[in-house]
Structures are given as C-alpha cells and as structure tokens.
C-alpha cells in the first residue's frame, strides 16, 4: 500500500501490484500533488504560447466495491501553464463531495459503471442511473475565467482556479443550479458570447434538459426536451444561433432498466436523431432530423451555412462491438473504450431548416476520435480539427491526426510504440489570426522511459513532430478530456 496525503490526511491507496488493465501500466493512478515551476525545456518553446493546458485524469484512491471501470476514478486535474517562454506544472485532485466522503470512510461507497447500483454502500449518489459517485473526472473547460470539472453521468460542476488549481467550490448559478438532475460533461463555451451551453439527462421524464448560463454565471435559459425514452447523450454541439441535441439509438435496454439493470444496447432499426433548437428556444421549438443509425460520443463542431446546419463528429461503424479486439482487455465492459473496434470516423451531418432535407457523409476513413478545435471557431464555419488515433483495443492515444474538413486531407503524427498522448489543447498563437496559426499541447505517458512530458506541436506542421517538450515530475495516469485557456481569458494573470 502507498500512503499519500490528500486534504492534510494520509490515505491508504491501491496496492502497487494492481493488475487491473485500467489501473496499471499507462493507467496506473498517480496520487502526489505537485507544484513545479520553470520546468526544463528541450527544443524551442515559443514566446507567443500564452495560457494554460488543463487535463482531467482518472486516479482512483480506493478499490472498487466489486469491479472497477476507468470512468469511476477520482478526478485529478493536470495543469501546464505557458508564459514568456516559461512552462510550469501543477496537479490537484478535484475535492468532490464523493471523494471527501470516501476519504472519511476509507473505502468506496458508491457503485461504478461496471457494477450494479445495488452494491453501493450509500443509498444516495449522483448520476443519471443513481447511486454513483460524481467523480468529476470526465471533462474540464474554462468558463468566465474559472476551470470547471464535470462528470459524464451528470453531477455537480466543480470549480477551480485555472492558475492555482485552488478549490472554488461547486457551481450554484445563484441558487438556480439544477441539483436534482445535475449537469452532464461536455458543457460548451461559446467564446463569442461568453455563454456556457449545457444539458442533463436521466431515466425519468423529462429525460433531457437543455440550458444556457451567461458570462456572469447566471442560469438564463433551461427547458425540458421531449424524448421517446431515456437516452445516453454524451455531448452536444452549437452554432451561432442554435443548440444541437441528440437522440441516438444506443441506450439502456428498457426492459432491463425496469428491473434496475443498466445495459447499453444498440438498436440499428432506429434512426439517429439530431434536434436543432434556437439557443434561447422553448421546448416546442426543437426540430428533429433523422440520420443513419449510429452512436456519437463526441462532436467536433457545428455551424450554419445558408439554410443548413452542418454538424461534424465521429460516426461509429460498430457502436456495440462484441469485444475490445484481440489486443485489448478481455472484459466485455471495456469494448466500448476501443475506438478502433467501434470504427469511429469523422463524419458530417447536414440539415436544411427550410426544406427539411438531410444528408450525411464520411470526411475521413481514418479511425480517429477525441477531436478538438480552435475554440474561437466554435459554432462557426471552420476547417481543422485535431483528433487522436488509438492503441488497438485500448483507450490509449498513440498518435495525432489533423483533419482538414475542407479538402479531406489528413496530416498524421505517430508516437513511438509505448508512448501515449492526451486529447490535445489547441492554443492559438498570441496575436495570430489564422485557424491553424496555433500550437497543439498534449501530455504523454511514456512507458519506455517511465515518465510524462508536456509536448508542443505547431498546428500548421503536425507531421514535423514536437517542437518543444518539458518533463513532468512524475509519470501521470492516462485519462479523459482536456482544454486550452488563453492567458488573456484568465483574470489577474
Ligand atoms: Fe467525452
């Protein structure tokens, strides 16, 4: 056992000889909180790289009650800050209510994704299915100058200072936070308006809500959205004037749900539906459009083009694979983590608001997911996204692909075997105007050298490889989402 200090207390954590596929190797949890100023840099760190890169990771502090799933891990935010050619690093656990309670108890108290809710010790909990811990370990964004960590099953929004990673408490939105539903991961920040768009979902009607928080962190819009049954939306999209919600045919099997069991099943006989609603529109104003059946975990962007709404994201050729593939972990639960077996590929959906016509097409035959963009182009016509390729069978990223959605061209960079990266942050060059006049920032898990680095690419020359790298104090665990916040968006810096 390893003893680490969190909240000023020494905790016993997971054993060193853990052999769970997502709690060992590149997913080995990391438990020490560091503040490391002025990291040593190899290569040329540009002076005009100014801002912070934040990455959320899964770092469980206690063994699961029965079975661990990597989405159950306690959130740790890694932050790398860049200014004037200097780079610093710090990391912090997100002080969630669930982590606090489990620290007091010295054990896991809630059921994870791979467990029946009945195994939970506590009768309460978070999440659309209930009796889960809101680990806040899925997503991280910066809205109104505050970093916000969130959970894919819906929960609280945990606020942190983006520079110090100091705990700023949970979002309250002046008392209007929808606590009984929570908010899903993948809130969207529109840099043009300063608004935060969000959704939540659950198994009782109304099954979905959509809302808007303004730049002053006030809830200014919140409406129920009618669905034919409980669904599992993971992400949403937006354009200048519309929000785009989804009803995909992969959801908890209703008959099992009625018995308190949660099994995701794909229904190829049902269409995928995209719902377009004016950003401040009422429930009755949503318009649904039908497409080929699939599941979409992540949208890259959406925009308006004349009468059309264009949405891009990752179509899954096989939303419910039988296994994680020959090279992946054997547990069937982990098959939904391997994007190569789900056959994820960049795709475009079009909806004509005047004629009602729809069309859709693949933009690439490469298997990629976790695409990020220059957020200044969010909701507006754009050209590039930067996505990840995966280690076959695993939720591990082994390379980057710059997708040119105009020409279909893809520019690739492959890390050496045993080196994995994180979802990239797109850091616009200070003073730059072009969409790819930017840097890409990612964190590596280097199993060959047993270390992690922060690595910087030029967005206009991804194939060249890293232009600068800085070693972190310790090898980090792999994890989920990340974001980039420009320096000027952080007050007092
Ligand atoms: Fe996600």
């Amino acid at each position: 056992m390893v003893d680490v200090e969190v909240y000023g207390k020494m905790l016993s954590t997971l054993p060193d000889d853990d052999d769970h596929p997502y709690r060992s190797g590149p997913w080995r949890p990391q438990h020490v909180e560091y503040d490391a100023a002025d990291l040593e840099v190899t290569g040329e760190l540009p002076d005009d790289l100014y801002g912070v890169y934040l990455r959320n990771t899964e770092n469980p502090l206690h063994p699961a009650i029965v079975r661990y799933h990597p989405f159950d891990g306690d959130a740790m935010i890694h932050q790398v800050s860049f200014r004037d050619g200097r780079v610093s690093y710090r990391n912090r656990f997100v002080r969630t209510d669930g982590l606090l309670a489990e620290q007091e108890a010295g054990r896991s108290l809630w059921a994870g994704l791979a467990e029946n809710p009945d195994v939970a010790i506590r009768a309460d909990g978070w999440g659309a299915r209930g009796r889960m811990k809101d680990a806040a370990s899925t997503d991280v964004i910066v809205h109104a100058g505050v970093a916000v960590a969130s959970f894919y099953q819906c929960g609280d929004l945990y606020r942190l200072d983006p520079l110090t990673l100091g705990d700023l408490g949970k979002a309250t939105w002046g008392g209007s936070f929808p606590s009984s539903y929570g908010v899903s991961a993948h809130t969207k920040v529109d840099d043009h308006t300063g608004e935060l768009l969000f959704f939540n979902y659950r198994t009782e009607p109304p099954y979905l809500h959509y809302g808007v928080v303004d730049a002053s962190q006030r809830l200014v819009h919140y409406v129920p959205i009618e669905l034919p049954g409980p669904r599992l939306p993971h992400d949403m999209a937006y354009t200048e004037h519309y929000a785009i919600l989804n009803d995909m045919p992969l959801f908890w099997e209703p008959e099992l749900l009625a018995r308190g069991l949660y099994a995701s099943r794909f229904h190829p006989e049902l269409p995928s539906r995209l719902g377009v609603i004016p950003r401040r529109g009422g429930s009755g104003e949503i318009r649904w459009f039908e497409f080929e059946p699939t599941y979409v975990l992540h949208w890259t962007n959406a925009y308006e083009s004349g009468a059309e709404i264009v949405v891009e994201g990752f179509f899954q050729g096989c939303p419910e694979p039988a296994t994680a593939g020959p090279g992946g972990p054997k547990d069937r639960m982990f098959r939904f983590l391997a994007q190569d077996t789900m056959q994820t590929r960049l795709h475009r959906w079009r909806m004509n608001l005047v004629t009602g016509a729809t069309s859709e097409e693949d933009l690439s035959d490469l298997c990629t997911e976790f695409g990020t963009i220059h957020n200044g182009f969010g909701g507006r016509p754009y050209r590039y996204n930067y996505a990840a390729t995966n280690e076959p069978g695993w939720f591990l990223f082994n390379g980057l692909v710059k997708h040119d959605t105009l020409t279909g061209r893809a520019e690739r960079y492959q890390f050496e075997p045993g080196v994995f990266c994180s979802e990239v942050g797109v850091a616009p060059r200070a003073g730059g105007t072009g969409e790819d006049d930017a840097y890409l920032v990612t964190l590596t898990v280097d199993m060959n050298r047993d270390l992690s680095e922060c690595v910087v690419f030029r967005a206009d020359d991804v194939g060249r490889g890293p232009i600068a790298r800085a070693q972190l104090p310790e090898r980090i665990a792999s994890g989920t989402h990340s974001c980039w916040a420009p320096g000027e968006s952080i007050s007092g810096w």
Side-chain angles (χ1 to χ4, degrees):
M1 304 290 273
V2 180
D3 288 334
V4 298
E5 187 177 312
V6 174
Y7 288 104
K9 278 187 163 187
M10 298 305 285
L11 293 179
S12 291
T13 63
L14 296 160
D16 279 343
D17 60 353
D18 196 340
D19 62 357
H20 186 290
Y22 282 102
R23 259 183 342 219
S24 59
W27 282 84
R28 181 194 66 185
Q30 191 248 322
H31 291 135
V32 181
E33 297 182 329
Y34 294 95
D35 291 281
D38 293 329
L39 299 181
E40 189 174 330
V41 175
T42 307
E44 292 289 318
L45 189 67
D47 288 343
D48 51 8
L49 178 55
Y50 174 40
V52 299
Y53 174 71
L54 299 171
R55 194 210 183 177
N56 207 338
T57 53
E58 309 273 356
N59 294 263
L61 280 164
H62 301 284
I65 296 172
V66 178
R67 273 208 309 172
Y68 178 70
H69 186 281
F71 295 169
D72 304 334
D74 296 296
M76 175 183 282
I77 304 288
H78 299 271
Q79 179 241 50
V80 184
S81 65
F82 300 86
R83 185 170 194 174
D84 301 328
R86 295 163 66 182
V87 54
S88 299
Y89 166 82
R90 55 171 44 103
N91 65 314
R92 293 288 185 276
F93 278 103
V94 180
R95 273 69 173 144
T96 64
D97 291 349
L99 185 149
L100 263 177
E102 291 189 339
Q103 181 188 329
E104 285 298 322
R107 61 174 301 186
S108 289
L109 296 173
W110 288 278
L113 182 62
E115 296 173 321
N116 187 312
D118 287 347
V119 307
I121 308 297
R122 290 265 298 248
D124 60 353
W126 296 264
R129 48 174 261 182
R131 302 194 75 176
M132 296 187 90
K133 175 174 63 175
D134 169 6
S137 56
T138 309
D139 196 14
V140 61
I141 53 102
V142 173
H143 176 235
V146 175
V148 179
S150 56
F151 186 51
Y152 72 104
Q153 277 265 340
C154 301
D156 284 304
L157 296 179
Y158 283 91
R159 304 164 70 246
L160 300 90
D161 182 305
L163 280 184
T164 66
L165 295 186
D167 181 0
L168 299 178
K170 296 185 284 189
T172 64
W173 300 341
S176 55
F177 186 86
S179 300
S180 58
Y181 284 78
V183 167
S184 174
H186 295 303
T187 58
K188 298 290 170 182
V189 179
D190 184 345
D191 284 351
H192 295 263
T193 65
E195 291 172 318
L196 180 85
L197 313 182
F198 72 94
F199 65 97
N200 59 29
Y201 61 98
R202 68 173 185 178
T203 55
E204 302 294 328
Y207 300 115
L208 181 69
H209 285 98
Y210 156 68
V212 182
V213 176
D214 71 9
S216 303
Q217 306 201 48
R218 292 177 308 177
L219 180 65
V220 292
H221 192 62
Y222 187 59
V223 290
I225 303 293
E226 196 173 322
L227 287 177
R231 293 294 182 266
L232 291 170
H234 181 76
D235 195 4
M236 64 174 289
Y238 67 96
T239 69
E240 184 177 357
H241 300 101
Y242 298 94
I244 295 111
L245 303 164
N246 62 87
D247 167 8
M248 312 306 281
L250 181 137
F251 46 80
W252 284 321
E253 193 62 16
E255 292 76 26
L256 294 174
L257 200 54
R259 291 161 38 205
L261 300 171
Y262 298 82
S264 302
R265 294 281 181 272
F266 180 55
H267 292 267
E269 73 280 9
L270 296 177
S272 299
R273 297 198 311 146
L274 298 187
V276 179
I277 183 171
R279 282 173 52 158
R280 300 289 179 98
S283 302
E285 292 181 75
I286 193 163
R287 289 181 61 188
W288 292 97
F289 296 83
E290 294 190 356
F291 294 94
E292 289 297 312
T294 186
Y295 185 76
V296 176
L297 200 57
H298 299 117
W299 311 98
T300 50
N301 202 6
Y303 57 91
E304 295 159 26
S305 175
E308 283 193 324
I309 302 289
V310 181
V311 186
E312 294 177 3
F314 297 97
F315 185 100
Q316 296 184 356
C318 182
E320 192 183 349
T323 72
K330 302 299 171 245
D331 192 323
R332 274 172 55 83
M333 192 68 189
F334 302 137
R335 65 202 151 124
F336 295 107
L337 296 169
Q339 68 192 46
D340 60 316
T341 59
M342 292 189 288
Q343 301 169 27
T344 58
R345 51 187 188 259
L346 190 64
H347 196 77
R348 178 184 286 150
W349 294 259
R350 289 180 178 272
M351 297 164 274
N352 190 305
L353 296 178
V354 174
T355 66
T358 61
S359 63
E360 60 184 302
E361 60 183 326
D362 280 343
L363 297 180
S364 172
D365 55 5
L366 291 175
C367 176
T368 58
E369 239 283 5
F370 288 80
T372 52
I373 63 166
H374 180 320
N375 206 50
F377 291 77
R380 276 64 178 178
Y382 86 122
R383 183 166 176 178
Y384 303 113
N385 69 70
Y386 308 89
T389 55
N390 79 310
E391 187 75 358
W394 290 87
F395 183 17
L396 287 170
F397 303 145
N398 60 14
L400 306 179
V401 175
K402 176 184 182 180
H403 288 291
D404 182 337
T405 65
L406 189 65
T407 65
R409 181 172 177 267
E411 185 180 357
R412 299 185 66 159
Y413 179 79
Q414 186 81 25
F415 289 89
E416 66 183 88
V419 179
F420 308 105
C421 67
S422 56
E423 184 180 66
V424 300
V426 183
R429 190 176 66 78
T433 54
E435 186 180 340
D436 64 351
D437 190 0
Y439 302 101
L440 306 181
V441 182
T442 191
L443 301 182
T444 66
V445 174
D446 185 332
M447 298 305 293
N448 304 325
R449 296 188 293 156
D450 189 22
L451 53 80
S452 281
E453 291 178 317
C454 178
V455 172
V456 179
F457 292 75
R458 284 181 63 120
D460 61 1
D461 196 1
V462 170
R464 171 180 166 188
I467 58 169
R469 51 179 76 230
Q471 187 177 337
L472 308 187
E474 186 183 347
R475 173 157 65 85
I476 67 168
S478 201
T480 49
H481 290 288
S482 69
C483 72
W484 172 264
E488 53 270 20
S489 71
I490 299 169
S491 62
W493 192 26

